[in-house]
Amino acid sequence: MTIELKPSQPQIEQTPGAIAQGLQGNIGLTSLFLAILALSFAAIFIRLSERELGPVATIFNRFWVATVILGLGKVFETLRERHSHDSLLQKQHYTVSDLVLLLVMSCFFSGTLITWAWSLTQTSVANSNLLHNVTPLFTTLMGWLFLSQSFDARFLIGMVVAISGSILIGLGDLHLASDNFTGDSLALLSAVFSAANLLTVEKLRAKFSATTILLWCSFFGAVLTFPIVLLTEDVLFPYSWAGWLTIIAQALICQVLGQSLQAYNLKGFSSGFVAVFLLLDPVITAILAWIIFAERLTPLNWLAFSVVLAGIYLAKSSQGAEKVTPLGS
Protein backbone atom coordinates (compact mmCIF):
# COMPACT_ATOMS: atom_id res chain seq x y z
CA MET A 1 0.00 0.00 0.00
CA THR A 2 1.20 3.50 -0.80
CA ILE A 3 0.08 6.93 0.30
CA GLU A 4 -1.11 9.04 -2.61
CA LEU A 5 1.36 11.80 -3.46
CA LYS A 6 0.03 15.09 -4.80
CA PRO A 7 1.83 16.51 -7.85
CA SER A 8 3.78 19.71 -7.40
CA GLN A 9 1.74 22.86 -8.03
CA PRO A 10 3.09 25.58 -10.36
CA GLN A 11 3.99 28.95 -8.86
CA ILE A 12 1.29 31.59 -9.33
CA GLU A 13 1.29 35.33 -8.75
CA GLN A 14 0.00 36.33 -5.32
CA THR A 15 -3.40 38.01 -5.23
CA PRO A 16 -4.90 40.09 -2.38
CA GLY A 17 -6.90 37.00 -1.40
CA ALA A 18 -3.74 34.90 -1.27
CA ILE A 19 -1.99 37.55 0.83
CA ALA A 20 -4.95 37.62 3.24
CA GLN A 21 -4.87 33.83 3.43
CA GLY A 22 -1.13 33.99 4.18
CA LEU A 23 -1.75 36.52 6.95
CA GLN A 24 -4.41 34.23 8.44
CA GLY A 25 -1.91 31.39 8.25
CA ASN A 26 0.66 33.41 10.22
CA ILE A 27 -1.95 34.25 12.87
CA GLY A 28 -2.87 30.58 12.98
CA LEU A 29 0.76 29.56 13.45
CA THR A 30 1.12 32.05 16.31
CA SER A 31 -1.98 30.73 18.09
CA LEU A 32 -0.87 27.14 17.41
CA PHE A 33 2.51 27.93 18.99
CA LEU A 34 0.70 29.35 22.05
CA ALA A 35 -1.30 26.12 22.21
CA ILE A 36 1.91 24.04 22.21
CA LEU A 37 3.42 26.33 24.85
CA ALA A 38 0.40 25.75 27.11
CA LEU A 39 0.34 21.99 26.43
CA SER A 40 4.07 21.66 27.18
CA PHE A 41 3.25 22.09 30.88
CA ALA A 42 0.98 19.00 30.87
CA ALA A 43 3.63 16.41 31.79
CA ILE A 44 4.88 18.63 34.64
CA PHE A 45 1.38 19.17 36.05
CA ILE A 46 0.54 15.47 35.75
CA ARG A 47 3.68 14.45 37.63
CA LEU A 48 2.96 17.01 40.37
CA SER A 49 -0.68 15.87 40.64
CA GLU A 50 0.37 12.23 40.96
CA ARG A 51 2.02 13.04 44.28
CA GLU A 52 -1.51 12.97 45.74
CA LEU A 53 -3.68 11.34 43.08
CA GLY A 54 -3.62 8.37 40.76
CA PRO A 55 -3.44 8.91 36.99
CA VAL A 56 -7.19 8.54 36.37
CA ALA A 57 -8.15 10.81 39.29
CA THR A 58 -5.73 13.40 37.94
CA ILE A 59 -7.47 13.38 34.56
CA PHE A 60 -10.98 13.28 36.11
CA ASN A 61 -10.28 16.41 38.16
CA ARG A 62 -8.79 18.15 35.12
CA PHE A 63 -11.99 17.39 33.18
CA TRP A 64 -14.58 18.51 35.73
CA VAL A 65 -12.71 21.70 36.64
CA ALA A 66 -12.38 22.54 32.92
CA THR A 67 -16.11 21.82 32.47
CA VAL A 68 -16.97 24.33 35.20
CA ILE A 69 -14.68 27.00 33.68
CA LEU A 70 -15.95 26.48 30.12
CA GLY A 71 -19.57 26.19 31.30
CA LEU A 72 -19.39 29.50 33.17
CA GLY A 73 -17.87 31.06 30.07
CA LYS A 74 -20.78 29.78 27.95
CA VAL A 75 -23.34 31.11 30.45
CA PHE A 76 -21.66 34.53 30.47
CA GLU A 77 -21.56 34.58 26.65
CA THR A 78 -25.26 33.64 26.42
CA LEU A 79 -26.31 36.32 28.93
CA ARG A 80 -24.24 38.94 27.13
CA GLU A 81 -25.75 38.05 23.75
CA ARG A 82 -29.30 38.14 25.13
CA HIS A 83 -28.78 41.72 26.34
CA SER A 84 -27.23 42.79 23.05
CA HIS A 85 -29.48 44.49 20.49
CA ASP A 86 -27.42 43.23 17.55
CA SER A 87 -27.14 39.68 18.82
CA LEU A 88 -25.49 37.30 16.37
CA LEU A 89 -25.95 34.25 18.62
CA GLN A 90 -27.49 31.31 16.80
CA LYS A 91 -28.98 28.26 18.42
CA GLN A 92 -26.82 25.19 17.96
CA HIS A 93 -28.77 22.20 16.68
CA TYR A 94 -27.40 18.80 17.60
CA THR A 95 -28.18 15.68 15.61
CA VAL A 96 -27.77 12.15 16.95
CA SER A 97 -24.65 11.71 14.81
CA ASP A 98 -23.22 14.95 16.27
CA LEU A 99 -23.67 13.69 19.83
CA VAL A 100 -22.20 10.30 18.95
CA LEU A 101 -19.17 11.94 17.33
CA LEU A 102 -18.71 14.24 20.35
CA LEU A 103 -18.86 11.21 22.66
CA VAL A 104 -16.38 9.27 20.50
CA MET A 105 -14.04 12.27 20.48
CA SER A 106 -14.25 12.45 24.27
CA CYS A 107 -13.43 8.73 24.53
CA PHE A 108 -10.35 9.20 22.36
CA PHE A 109 -9.18 12.24 24.30
CA SER A 110 -9.82 10.58 27.67
CA GLY A 111 -7.93 7.54 26.43
CA THR A 112 -5.02 9.76 25.39
CA LEU A 113 -4.70 11.42 28.79
CA ILE A 114 -5.31 8.29 30.89
CA THR A 115 -2.82 6.10 29.02
CA TRP A 116 -0.23 8.89 28.97
CA ALA A 117 -0.66 9.66 32.68
CA TRP A 118 -0.52 5.93 33.45
CA SER A 119 2.63 5.51 31.36
CA LEU A 120 4.35 8.24 33.41
CA THR A 121 3.94 6.01 36.48
CA GLN A 122 5.40 2.95 34.69
CA THR A 123 8.30 4.35 32.65
CA SER A 124 10.60 7.38 32.43
CA VAL A 125 9.37 10.77 31.25
CA ALA A 126 11.84 10.57 28.35
CA ASN A 127 10.49 7.20 27.17
CA SER A 128 6.87 8.32 27.55
CA ASN A 129 7.34 11.58 25.65
CA LEU A 130 9.41 9.98 22.91
CA LEU A 131 6.82 7.28 22.17
CA HIS A 132 3.89 9.69 22.51
CA ASN A 133 5.57 11.92 19.90
CA VAL A 134 4.99 9.40 17.09
CA THR A 135 1.42 10.76 16.97
CA PRO A 136 1.98 12.34 13.49
CA LEU A 137 2.68 8.91 12.00
CA PHE A 138 -0.63 7.54 13.25
CA THR A 139 -2.51 10.74 12.33
CA THR A 140 -1.26 10.61 8.74
CA LEU A 141 -1.85 6.88 8.38
CA MET A 142 -5.36 6.96 9.88
CA GLY A 143 -6.31 10.04 7.86
CA TRP A 144 -5.26 8.24 4.69
CA LEU A 145 -6.96 4.95 5.60
CA PHE A 146 -10.26 6.22 7.03
CA LEU A 147 -10.78 9.76 5.69
CA SER A 148 -9.18 9.45 2.22
CA GLN A 149 -6.71 12.21 3.02
CA SER A 150 -3.64 12.56 0.80
CA PHE A 151 -0.25 14.13 1.49
CA ASP A 152 2.47 15.25 -0.89
CA ALA A 153 6.09 14.12 -0.71
CA ARG A 154 7.23 17.40 0.90
CA PHE A 155 4.81 16.95 3.80
CA LEU A 156 5.83 13.32 4.39
CA ILE A 157 9.54 14.19 4.31
CA GLY A 158 8.96 17.08 6.74
CA MET A 159 7.03 14.80 9.09
CA VAL A 160 9.80 12.17 9.11
CA VAL A 161 12.47 14.85 9.66
CA ALA A 162 10.51 16.42 12.57
CA ILE A 163 9.90 13.03 14.23
CA SER A 164 13.61 12.18 13.86
CA GLY A 165 14.48 15.43 15.61
CA SER A 166 12.07 14.71 18.48
CA ILE A 167 13.66 11.28 18.91
CA LEU A 168 17.12 12.88 19.07
CA ILE A 169 15.95 15.19 21.88
CA GLY A 170 15.20 12.32 24.26
CA LEU A 171 17.76 9.84 22.96
CA GLY A 172 20.27 10.49 25.73
CA ASP A 173 17.68 9.80 28.45
CA LEU A 174 16.08 6.81 26.74
CA HIS A 175 16.03 3.66 28.91
CA LEU A 176 15.63 0.31 27.19
CA ALA A 177 14.61 -2.22 29.84
CA SER A 178 12.06 -5.02 30.12
CA ASP A 179 10.47 -3.44 33.21
CA ASN A 180 9.57 -0.39 31.09
CA PHE A 181 7.53 -2.45 28.62
CA THR A 182 4.12 -1.68 30.19
CA GLY A 183 4.76 2.06 30.43
CA ASP A 184 6.26 2.22 26.94
CA SER A 185 3.26 0.34 25.49
CA LEU A 186 0.85 2.72 27.22
CA ALA A 187 2.73 5.74 25.84
CA LEU A 188 2.51 4.28 22.33
CA LEU A 189 -1.22 3.62 22.82
CA SER A 190 -1.66 7.25 23.91
CA ALA A 191 -0.20 8.30 20.54
CA VAL A 192 -2.84 6.20 18.73
CA PHE A 193 -5.63 7.76 20.81
CA SER A 194 -4.19 11.24 20.25
CA ALA A 195 -4.16 10.74 16.47
CA ALA A 196 -7.77 9.53 16.48
CA ASN A 197 -8.77 12.51 18.65
CA LEU A 198 -7.15 15.03 16.27
CA LEU A 199 -8.94 13.54 13.27
CA THR A 200 -12.30 13.54 15.09
CA VAL A 201 -11.93 17.14 16.26
CA GLU A 202 -10.97 18.16 12.72
CA LYS A 203 -14.26 16.67 11.49
CA LEU A 204 -16.28 18.34 14.27
CA ARG A 205 -14.73 21.75 13.52
CA ALA A 206 -16.70 21.83 10.26
CA LYS A 207 -19.80 22.55 12.39
CA PHE A 208 -18.87 23.47 15.96
CA SER A 209 -16.69 26.14 17.57
CA ALA A 210 -13.54 25.15 19.43
CA THR A 211 -14.99 26.10 22.84
CA THR A 212 -18.18 24.09 22.22
CA ILE A 213 -16.12 21.02 21.33
CA LEU A 214 -13.93 21.45 24.41
CA LEU A 215 -16.94 21.90 26.69
CA TRP A 216 -18.49 18.64 25.50
CA CYS A 217 -15.11 16.92 25.59
CA SER A 218 -14.52 17.96 29.20
CA PHE A 219 -18.07 17.07 30.29
CA PHE A 220 -18.10 13.64 28.66
CA GLY A 221 -14.54 13.06 29.86
CA ALA A 222 -15.54 13.71 33.47
CA VAL A 223 -18.55 11.37 33.13
CA LEU A 224 -16.42 8.62 31.55
CA THR A 225 -13.54 8.79 34.01
CA PHE A 226 -15.59 9.13 37.23
CA PRO A 227 -16.61 5.45 37.53
CA ILE A 228 -13.08 4.35 36.53
CA VAL A 229 -11.64 6.37 39.42
CA LEU A 230 -14.10 4.83 41.87
CA LEU A 231 -13.27 1.30 40.70
CA THR A 232 -9.49 1.57 40.40
CA GLU A 233 -8.19 4.23 42.79
CA ASP A 234 -8.59 5.19 46.45
CA VAL A 235 -8.31 9.00 46.34
CA LEU A 236 -10.80 11.06 44.31
CA PHE A 237 -9.79 14.67 45.09
CA PRO A 238 -6.52 16.40 46.10
CA TYR A 239 -6.07 16.84 49.84
CA SER A 240 -3.79 19.91 49.88
CA TRP A 241 -3.86 23.45 48.50
CA ALA A 242 -0.84 22.64 46.37
CA GLY A 243 -2.70 19.68 44.88
CA TRP A 244 -5.75 21.80 44.06
CA LEU A 245 -3.63 24.56 42.52
CA THR A 246 -1.92 21.99 40.30
CA ILE A 247 -5.28 20.62 39.13
CA ILE A 248 -6.72 24.08 38.47
CA ALA A 249 -3.59 25.14 36.58
CA GLN A 250 -3.72 21.94 34.53
CA ALA A 251 -7.40 22.49 33.68
CA LEU A 252 -7.01 26.19 32.88
CA ILE A 253 -3.68 26.18 31.03
CA CYS A 254 -3.61 22.76 29.35
CA GLN A 255 -7.30 21.98 28.82
CA VAL A 256 -9.06 25.33 28.41
CA LEU A 257 -6.27 27.35 26.79
CA GLY A 258 -4.06 24.77 25.08
CA GLN A 259 -6.70 22.37 23.80
CA SER A 260 -9.06 25.18 22.75
CA LEU A 261 -6.35 26.84 20.64
CA GLN A 262 -5.41 23.48 19.16
CA ALA A 263 -9.03 22.72 18.25
CA TYR A 264 -9.43 26.25 16.83
CA ASN A 265 -6.56 25.68 14.41
CA LEU A 266 -7.94 22.35 13.18
CA LYS A 267 -10.29 24.42 11.04
CA GLY A 268 -7.45 26.08 9.16
CA PHE A 269 -4.73 23.42 9.28
CA SER A 270 -4.92 19.70 8.59
CA SER A 271 -4.79 17.31 11.56
CA GLY A 272 -1.59 15.86 10.10
CA PHE A 273 0.18 19.23 10.18
CA VAL A 274 -1.11 20.03 13.70
CA ALA A 275 0.27 16.67 14.85
CA VAL A 276 3.66 17.53 13.31
CA PHE A 277 3.60 21.01 14.89
CA LEU A 278 2.96 19.36 18.27
CA LEU A 279 6.52 18.00 18.05
CA LEU A 280 7.60 21.46 19.24
CA ASP A 281 6.36 20.33 22.67
CA PRO A 282 9.59 18.53 23.73
CA VAL A 283 11.64 21.41 22.30
CA ILE A 284 9.79 23.99 24.40
CA THR A 285 9.85 21.73 27.48
CA ALA A 286 13.63 21.25 27.21
CA ILE A 287 14.26 24.99 26.75
CA LEU A 288 12.01 25.84 29.72
CA ALA A 289 13.93 23.33 31.86
CA TRP A 290 17.19 24.99 30.71
CA ILE A 291 15.92 28.48 31.63
CA ILE A 292 14.10 27.64 34.88
CA PHE A 293 16.04 24.70 36.29
CA ALA A 294 19.42 25.33 34.61
CA GLU A 295 19.31 21.85 33.08
CA ARG A 296 22.19 21.30 30.69
CA LEU A 297 21.55 21.27 26.95
CA THR A 298 24.11 19.44 24.83
CA PRO A 299 25.11 20.25 21.25
CA LEU A 300 23.07 17.18 20.26
CA ASN A 301 19.99 18.78 21.84
CA TRP A 302 20.46 21.99 19.84
CA LEU A 303 20.97 19.95 16.67
CA ALA A 304 17.75 18.07 17.43
CA PHE A 305 15.85 21.34 17.91
CA SER A 306 17.07 22.52 14.51
CA VAL A 307 16.00 19.24 12.89
CA VAL A 308 12.48 19.51 14.38
CA LEU A 309 12.12 23.10 13.16
CA ALA A 310 13.38 22.14 9.69
CA GLY A 311 10.84 19.30 9.51
CA ILE A 312 7.98 21.58 10.59
CA TYR A 313 9.02 24.15 7.99
CA LEU A 314 8.97 21.50 5.24
CA ALA A 315 5.55 20.24 6.36
CA LYS A 316 4.16 23.79 6.60
CA SER A 317 5.31 24.68 3.08
CA SER A 318 3.62 21.60 1.59
CA GLN A 319 0.19 21.30 -0.02
CA GLY A 320 -1.10 19.15 2.86
CA ALA A 321 -0.68 21.66 5.68
CA GLU A 322 -3.31 24.39 5.21
CA LYS A 323 -6.92 24.06 4.14
CA VAL A 324 -8.67 26.42 1.78
CA THR A 325 -11.26 27.30 4.43
CA PRO A 326 -10.62 30.40 6.56
CA LEU A 327 -9.38 30.18 10.10
CA GLY A 328 -12.46 31.76 11.58
CA SER A 329 -14.42 29.98 14.22
Side-chain angles (χ1 to χ4, degrees):
M1 294 189 301
T2 58
I3 294 181
E4 177 189 349
L5 300 181
K6 294 180 179 178
S8 301
Q9 299 294 325
Q11 292 258 341
I12 57 174
E13 185 180 350
Q14 281 196 329
T15 63
I19 295 174
Q21 185 71 21
L23 180 60
Q24 283 187 324
N26 291 332
I27 295 173
L29 283 177
T30 302
S31 63
L32 192 53
F33 175 79
L34 291 175
I36 307 306
L37 182 61
L39 294 173
S40 66
F41 288 96
I44 298 171
F45 288 142
I46 289 174
R47 290 301 291 265
L48 290 173
S49 298
E50 288 176 348
R51 292 177 178 178
E52 300 182 12
L53 302 171
V56 184
T58 295
I59 303 308
F60 163 72
N61 282 279
R62 165 175 168 166
F63 277 144
W64 78 258
V65 172
T67 301
V68 171
I69 295 172
L70 290 165
L72 289 174
K74 274 289 183 185
V75 170
F76 176 77
E77 180 185 353
T78 302
L79 291 175
R80 186 187 64 183
E81 291 291 341
R82 282 181 179 175
H83 288 83
S84 174
H85 295 293
D86 55 344
S87 174
L88 299 176
L89 188 66
Q90 295 181 349
K91 264 194 169 181
Q92 191 75 65
H93 298 286
Y94 295 92
T95 65
V96 174
S97 60
D98 289 337
L99 293 174
V100 169
L101 199 58
L102 285 164
L103 179 59
V104 169
M105 176 266 298
S106 301
C107 290
F108 286 145
F109 187 66
S110 299
T112 301
L113 294 183
I114 291 172
T115 51
W116 188 31
W118 193 2
S119 76
L120 289 169
T121 67
Q122 303 294 319
T123 190
S124 66
V125 175
N127 284 33
S128 180
N129 283 339
L130 186 139
L131 291 167
H132 182 75
N133 284 337
V134 299
T135 294
L137 281 178
F138 292 115
T139 307
T140 304
L141 182 61
M142 292 165 69
W144 171 62
L145 286 174
F146 302 116
L147 299 179
S148 301
Q149 295 181 351
S150 60
F151 306 89
D152 59 19
R154 192 180 184 93
F155 178 87
L156 295 176
I157 293 171
M159 178 186 69
V160 172
V161 169
I163 292 175
S164 301
S166 72
I167 291 173
L168 279 176
I169 292 172
L171 199 59
D173 298 320
L174 184 65
H175 300 291
L176 298 177
S178 58
D179 56 350
N180 288 338
F181 178 77
T182 299
D184 293 346
S185 300
L186 288 167
L188 193 62
L189 182 59
S190 75
V192 177
F193 281 135
S194 179
N197 173 67
L198 284 172
L199 289 164
T200 310
V201 173
E202 181 182 20
K203 188 172 180 63
L204 285 166
R205 281 293 282 125
K207 180 175 181 179
F208 298 104
S209 69
T211 51
T212 297
I213 292 172
L214 259 294
L215 177 57
W216 281 103
C217 176
S218 301
F219 172 74
F220 279 138
V223 172
L224 290 169
T225 53
F226 179 66
I228 301 176
V229 179
L230 295 181
L231 291 172
T232 61
E233 297 177 1
D234 299 324
V235 182
L236 185 60
F237 299 112
Y239 49 80
S240 71
W241 282 109
W244 277 112
L245 286 174
T246 302
I247 288 295
I248 293 170
Q250 185 181 167
L252 188 59
I253 296 174
C254 301
Q255 186 75 4
V256 175
L257 178 61
Q259 290 295 332
S260 291
L261 286 173
Q262 178 181 289
Y264 169 81
N265 280 285
L266 280 167
K267 183 134 185 179
F269 295 113
S270 69
S271 54
F273 174 72
V274 171
V276 172
F277 203 89
L278 284 169
L279 293 176
L280 273 178
D281 188 342
V283 174
I284 295 173
T285 301
I287 292 176
L288 286 174
W290 174 53
I291 295 172
I292 299 172
F293 302 114
E295 291 189 6
R296 181 170 164 266
L297 290 176
T298 66
L300 181 62
N301 292 137
W302 291 108
L303 174 63
F305 297 163
S306 302
V307 172
V308 171
L309 291 173
I312 291 174
Y313 173 78
L314 283 172
K316 171 65 177 69
S317 60
S318 72
Q319 297 294 322
E322 291 189 39
K323 301 177 184 177
V324 294
T325 52
L327 284 173
S329 100

